[in-house]
Amino acid sequence: GFSLLFSLTSIVFLKAGWGITAPIGMLVLLTVVAGLATFFVVHRWFVPFVPRVDRAAWSRILRDLWPIAVLLACDVVLRRAGILILSRVQTMSAVAVYGAAVKMVDLLSLLTSSLTGALLPYLAFRWSEGVEVGWQTYRRSLRYFVVLSAGLSAITLVLARPLLMLVLGPSYLD
């Protein structure tokens, strides 16, 4: 139902000449409504929601993790700023080629993010067995990630052009 409603309203908005902003706004609105409806259905009939906040724990978490949050925010800004700056000084075809390359890098970073997310519970378990055991596991996993990253970087350099032609077509590179 959600996908059909979104598709139909997007077509209507685009045919009406409202541009791409209206369908994106509709997607955000429908996602928020679906999320709130799911929350209320689950809260009402399945699991009651009782907020409990340990202020000391959250304070400690926020104090310890704010540098990571700043780093991630900078990463997002730098990734998107490149396209904005390039669009002011280059042709749109150059921006499109750059954007395609950025999407490929995002795809590869999705792989490493997924692997890191899968590693965290295991790392936490090993850390509970002892600090030295946790550090050994961390160092070993870091070595694996370095080897994986080097391999993926080499493959990306070699296959970048053929992958772009395969995914986006040969006319895209002209």
Side-chain angles (χ1 to χ4, degrees):
F2 176 77
S3 297
L4 180 62
L5 180 63
F6 173 67
S7 299
L8 291 175
T9 55
S10 295
I11 291 169
V12 168
F13 288 149
L14 290 172
K15 289 287 186 186
W18 289 10
I20 195 70
T21 304
I24 291 173
M26 181 58 86
L27 177 63
V28 170
L29 177 67
L30 287 174
T31 303
V32 169
V33 168
L36 288 173
T38 302
F39 172 77
F40 286 116
V41 166
V42 169
H43 171 66
R44 173 87 169 112
W45 286 291
F46 297 103
V47 180
F49 176 72
V50 180
R52 293 185 189 114
V53 177
D54 182 353
R55 293 185 192 276
W58 276 105
S59 174
R60 192 171 53 252
I61 289 169
L62 292 174
R63 185 184 66 243
D64 292 345
L65 294 181
W66 75 264
I68 295 172
V70 170
L71 180 66
L72 291 174
C74 289
D75 179 55
V76 169
V77 167
L78 289 175
R79 284 178 186 255
R80 303 306 170 232
I83 291 175
L84 291 175
I85 293 169
L86 194 60
S87 70
R88 299 288 182 184
V89 297
Q90 289 291 325
T91 64
M92 289 312 288
S93 60
V95 173
V97 171
Y98 177 79
V102 167
K103 287 297 174 196
M104 293 297 198
V105 170
D106 286 345
L107 180 66
L108 290 175
S109 70
L110 177 66
L111 174 67
T112 57
S113 297
S114 299
L115 291 173
T116 303
L119 174 69
L120 287 177
Y122 177 69
L123 193 57
F125 169 74
R126 297 292 289 176
W127 220 281
S128 71
E129 295 176 344
V131 174
E132 187 54 39
V133 174
W135 276 114
Q136 287 173 350
T137 305
Y138 174 74
R139 284 191 292 271
R140 188 171 63 239
S141 63
L142 192 58
R143 277 183 253 144
Y144 289 141
F145 275 114
V146 167
V147 169
L148 178 67
S149 298
L152 287 175
S153 297
I155 289 170
T156 302
L157 284 173
V158 171
L159 296 179
R161 188 173 184 86
L163 282 175
L164 281 175
M165 288 178 56
L166 174 70
V167 173
L168 302 172
S171 62
Y172 189 79
L173 294 176
D174 293 336

